[in-house]
């Protein structure tokens, strides 16, 4: 994250398993989000472990919170790529 020039205060890292989304740092990050913010995730499995929960959180973050997500090891999973139908489909 430092290589991407993300400020230290904007790096949220939980030390526990990603089995659910009730992790303290994740919850803290979500509360601080504003529309048009960008979330970098190292790997999709770092976001969460349960596929359905990941999809639900992705929807909450991109539609309700209106933030972008970039998964660093999967460039296809980058909501900044296109706000058209194709970009929405890929996300």
């Amino acid at each position: 994250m430092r290589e991407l020039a993300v400020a230290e205060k904007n790096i949220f890292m939980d030390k526990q398993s990603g089995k659910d989304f009730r992790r303290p740092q994740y919850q803290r990050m979500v509360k601080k989000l504003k529309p048009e913010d960008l979330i970098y995730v190292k790997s999709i499995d770092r976001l969460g472990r349960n596929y359905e929960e990941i999809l639900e959180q992705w929807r909450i973050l991109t539609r309700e919170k209106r933030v972008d997500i970039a998964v660093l090891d999967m460039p296809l999973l980058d909501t900044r790529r296109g706000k058209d139908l194709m970009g929405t489909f890929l996300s």
Side-chain angles (χ1 to χ4, degrees):
M1 295 302 149
R2 290 177 187 99
E3 291 174 12
L4 296 167
V6 175
E8 191 75 31
K9 68 178 183 159
N10 293 329
I11 296 175
F12 299 89
M13 185 171 35
D14 283 299
K15 302 287 185 190
Q16 63 195 69
S17 164
K19 70 179 179 103
D20 61 40
F21 289 91
R22 292 180 296 231
R23 303 182 309 263
Q25 290 296 308
Y26 180 81
Q27 292 299 317
R28 188 169 154 246
M29 177 195 72
V30 170
K31 286 180 184 175
K32 292 181 81 172
L33 290 172
K34 302 180 303 295
E36 299 186 24
D37 279 350
L38 171 62
I39 299 171
Y40 286 112
V41 179
K42 180 179 177 183
S43 179
I44 196 71
D45 69 341
R46 299 290 89 203
L47 183 60
R49 297 279 190 263
N50 180 295
Y51 177 73
E52 291 184 14
E53 286 183 4
I54 291 171
L55 287 176
E56 177 63 12
Q57 287 301 305
W58 194 279
R59 184 194 65 74
I60 289 168
L61 295 169
T62 59
R63 294 204 178 143
E64 292 179 18
K65 295 286 189 175
R66 299 187 347 247
V67 300
D68 281 311
I69 304 171
V71 180
L72 298 177
D73 70 350
M74 291 185 80
L76 189 61
L77 294 178
D78 187 338
T79 61
R80 300 171 297 173
R81 294 190 67 197
K83 300 296 183 183
D84 58 7
L85 182 59
M86 181 59 83
T88 301
F89 175 75
L90 289 173
S91 294

